[in-house]
Amino acid sequence: MNRSDGVVARIGVLLLVLVALSGAPAHAGSWVHGTYVNAWGSRGFQLWVPTGYQPGQALPLVVALHGCLQNPDQFAGLSRLNQKADAEKFLVLYPNQATITNGTQCWNFMIATNQERGLGEPSIIVGMVGWVKSHYAVDTHRVYVGGVSAGAVMTSILLACYSDVFAAGMVGAGAMYKAATTASGSVYAMVFGSIYHPDDRGRDAWECSGRPRWQVPVLVLHGTEDTVVNPINGEQVVRQFLQTNDYGDDGANNDSVPYAPTRVWYGSVPGGRGYTVKDYEYAGRLLVQKYELQGMDHAWPGGDPSYLFSDPSGPDATSIMWDFLKQHSR
């Protein structure tokens, strides 16, 4: 346990409060609404319990982080993630950013206290994961996180600082860990890419989880014409997590994890977008994967067109995400 973990643990003895708005576990195929509170604030959440859920049968858990100008209902509708959860049998936790904390409901990824283990918004989200584990049958080796836009940047933080909690993650139209440390820096990073080198942030990410000896599998999706988050950010995410995994392999910066893709392939949606996929394999498994969606702006590919930020001409990001995540366990 590092120093910040210990501080929060002591504060938590006095201040940690958990309020569940549902007094009993939900029936399968329905929502649970709740609020989680700790020393760093409170946030609401929604949990989707899939059709066919049986108490005692441990299921994977996916934490789904919405982007700006979204809430859990909108992200669930856009991504159709609940339908995938029903079909594949996993739980989905949707943390909700409070408008009182950010008027546009963006996760505050650029604030220093939200970029460390045991502090800020990441600690609240991980606390929600703990609540789900205590109320539902969760396969603790198969807890995942994925997000879009600001939610994707928060995903990078969670994968960096809580790699012992999350077995893998997906960063959609987001940025690397500590791409920015100020509000003005976040604007710059969105427009031009981060001023920080991904290799430096790769080490920072490894250290945030306590210098572990394991890998952090990551899927990255980014449109080549993203006008909100410059596509260079997607490349920086890949490089940062490759560097993190290089340290996680043997504790040394020695390029033991390859920085060149082991495979590059191409695909297309009939009548829709083409895409390039770069696979980075290590020790016989797919460790990092990047989808470059040709001509796509800031969007969730294959999403429900009745919601904002959908690009129905792209491949199904939800299926791509789940196909990647389910390959990995902690």
Side-chain angles (χ1 to χ4, degrees):
M1 178 181 289
N2 62 32
R3 184 174 63 84
S4 61
D5 282 339
V7 171
V8 173
R10 291 191 294 272
I11 293 174
V13 172
L14 297 175
L15 298 180
L16 187 61
V17 179
L18 178 63
V19 180
L21 299 184
S22 173
H27 296 293
S30 61
W31 285 113
V32 172
H33 294 75
T35 299
Y36 185 86
V37 186
N38 71 6
W40 300 99
S42 66
R43 299 292 188 278
F45 65 83
Q46 294 176 212
L47 175 71
W48 180 254
V49 182
T51 301
Y53 171 80
Q54 297 292 331
Q57 180 185 1
L59 298 183
L61 170 65
V62 175
V63 179
L65 295 171
H66 65 75
C68 302
L69 303 175
Q70 286 183 330
N71 60 34
D73 286 320
Q74 291 164 342
F75 188 33
L78 168 67
S79 64
R80 302 186 182 98
L81 190 54
N82 292 355
Q83 291 91 321
K84 178 63 70 173
D86 286 345
E88 299 285 342
K89 298 299 178 287
F90 57 88
L91 297 151
V92 189
L93 171 65
Y94 297 87
N96 187 33
Q97 177 63 295
T99 54
I100 194 172
T101 305
N102 187 298
T104 57
Q105 289 192 279
C106 301
W107 296 98
N108 294 305
F109 58 84
M110 74 297 294
I111 298 175
T113 52
N114 293 332
Q115 298 177 339
E116 302 296 337
R117 185 181 176 96
L119 306 179
E121 291 176 354
S123 75
I124 296 172
I125 294 168
V126 172
M128 293 177 185
V129 171
W131 182 89
V132 176
K133 288 179 178 178
S134 68
H135 288 75
Y136 293 86
V138 175
D139 183 345
T140 59
H141 299 288
R142 302 182 66 199
V143 178
Y144 310 110
V145 60
V148 64
S149 193
V153 189
M154 183 57 70
T155 294
S156 291
I157 295 171
L158 290 166
L159 290 172
C161 297
Y162 292 94
S163 64
D164 54 327
V165 174
F166 300 102
M170 191 279 281
V171 177
M176 69 178 178
Y177 174 62
K178 283 190 176 181
T181 56
T182 64
S184 59
S186 69
V187 173
Y188 186 94
M190 289 170 64
V191 176
F192 301 108
S194 177
I195 63 173
Y196 301 103
H197 198 286
D199 287 355
D200 295 333
R201 289 315 195 206
R203 181 182 177 88
D204 293 340
W206 178 62
E207 291 179 340
C208 196
S209 273
R211 301 187 176 190
R213 290 294 201 278
W214 56 66
Q215 272 67 54
V216 185
V218 181
L219 169 68
V220 178
L221 280 76
H222 217 115
T224 62
E225 301 299 326
D226 193 326
T227 59
V228 176
V229 180
N230 190 311
I232 194 174
N233 285 280
E235 282 298 313
Q236 291 178 329
V237 174
V238 170
R239 178 76 188 197
Q240 177 252 292
F241 277 106
L242 287 172
Q243 181 67 51
T244 300
N245 286 315
D246 185 28
Y247 281 108
D249 173 37
D250 54 15
N253 177 21
N254 56 9
D255 295 340
S256 55
V257 173
Y259 289 88
T262 52
R263 179 187 177 212
V264 179
W265 54 282
Y266 307 92
S268 63
V269 176
R273 296 196 184 281
Y275 50 89
T276 301
V277 184
K278 298 177 181 177
D279 293 340
Y280 298 81
E281 296 180 349
Y282 173 79
R285 69 169 179 163
L286 183 59
L287 182 60
V288 176
Q289 186 175 59
K290 186 189 181 198
Y291 272 70
E292 298 173 356
L293 290 304
Q294 300 302 317
M296 191 180 79
D297 202 338
H298 195 65
W300 183 270
D304 186 327
S306 62
Y307 291 87
L308 290 174
F309 309 115
S310 170
D311 187 315
S313 64
D316 182 1
T318 300
S319 293
I320 292 170
M321 177 177 72
W322 178 243
D323 288 345
F324 179 85
L325 297 179
K326 69 182 182 182
Q327 299 179 53
H328 303 282
S329 63
R330 170 61 56 227

